[in-house]
Amino acid sequence: MSGTVPGDPSGCSQLGAELRSRAAELLDLHARLAEQQSAGSRGRRRAGPDPVLMEQHRLSLDTVAVRLDVAGASLQLYAQELAGLAEEVRRLELAASAVGLELDGLRVVEPWGVAAPDVARVRLDALPELQRRSERVASRLGRARGSLRRALDEGRAALEDTATGIRRSLG
């Protein structure tokens, strides 16, 4: 049995980078739309999109870009935390193995079978500290997941509000 930290740091980091790239593209589009709107307002007035509506859509685009960037950054931070936790679990597994213990997920356990009294004493002495280390890893993982969840939930709510606003403006 072995200890593992569930999650894919590489995949989270790649997704985060992709979201941040898309956010940068949207911010670039936002700037180009602002230039076009500014150039249009300096030229003679002609029939075209309602300037107020255009401004609302530019602001919506800005909101989407910012939320994608925040989500991407949150995923990248989570990926870093996962990678650090995976390394901590690896060290914990080595420490447990050195005294004849094993990791079952994030629980430190004794292997099946009979142990000599001196081996059993070493295991018994080491078990509480190793389990505390394991629990700290689990706690850090929980905090990292909670932080990511909050960031993504806030982003989802903001995007839902933005989508509702766009739908209303389009009639």
Side-chain angles (χ1 to χ4, degrees):
M1 304 210 167
S2 68
T4 60
V5 175
D8 175 16
S10 177
C12 288
S13 182
Q14 287 175 345
L15 178 57
E18 184 66 25
L19 290 175
R20 297 190 88 184
S21 291
R22 295 298 164 245
E25 290 172 5
L26 289 175
L27 288 174
D28 182 53
L29 177 60
H30 180 268
R32 284 187 281 140
L33 287 173
E35 282 177 23
Q36 289 174 356
Q37 189 175 14
S38 177
S41 67
R42 286 192 304 260
R44 61 185 179 100
R45 181 80 177 137
R46 56 189 155 119
D50 177 9
V52 172
L53 185 61
M54 285 300 294
E55 181 63 16
Q56 288 173 345
H57 287 281
R58 277 191 331 98
L59 291 173
S60 296
L61 184 62
D62 188 48
T63 298
V64 170
V66 166
R67 285 306 177 171
L68 285 177
D69 189 57
V70 168
S74 296
L75 279 164
Q76 288 179 319
L77 285 172
Y78 182 67
Q80 290 172 355
E81 186 68 11
L82 280 179
L85 289 170
E87 177 57 26
E88 182 63 28
V89 167
R90 186 189 69 74
R91 287 193 302 264
L92 180 61
E93 196 164 30
L94 289 173
S97 178
V99 295
L101 296 170
E102 299 175 347
L103 284 184
D104 180 8
L106 290 177
R107 281 187 32 237
V108 182
V109 297
E110 289 193 59
W112 287 100
V114 177
D118 58 330
V119 172
R121 171 56 49 199
V122 168
R123 289 177 181 174
L124 187 61
D125 290 344
L127 187 79
E129 176 55 29
L130 292 172
Q131 187 58 48
R132 279 191 290 277
R133 283 177 58 188
S134 181
E135 288 166 4
R136 284 192 296 270
V137 168
S139 179
R140 280 179 53 199
L141 178 60
R143 284 192 306 274
R145 283 180 178 164
S147 179
L148 177 63
R149 168 64 67 189
R150 281 187 300 280
L152 295 178
D153 285 347
E154 289 169 8
R156 187 195 76 244
L159 291 173
E160 286 173 351
D161 290 347
T162 300
T164 299
I166 290 171
R167 281 191 291 275
R168 283 185 186 143
S169 73
L170 295 175

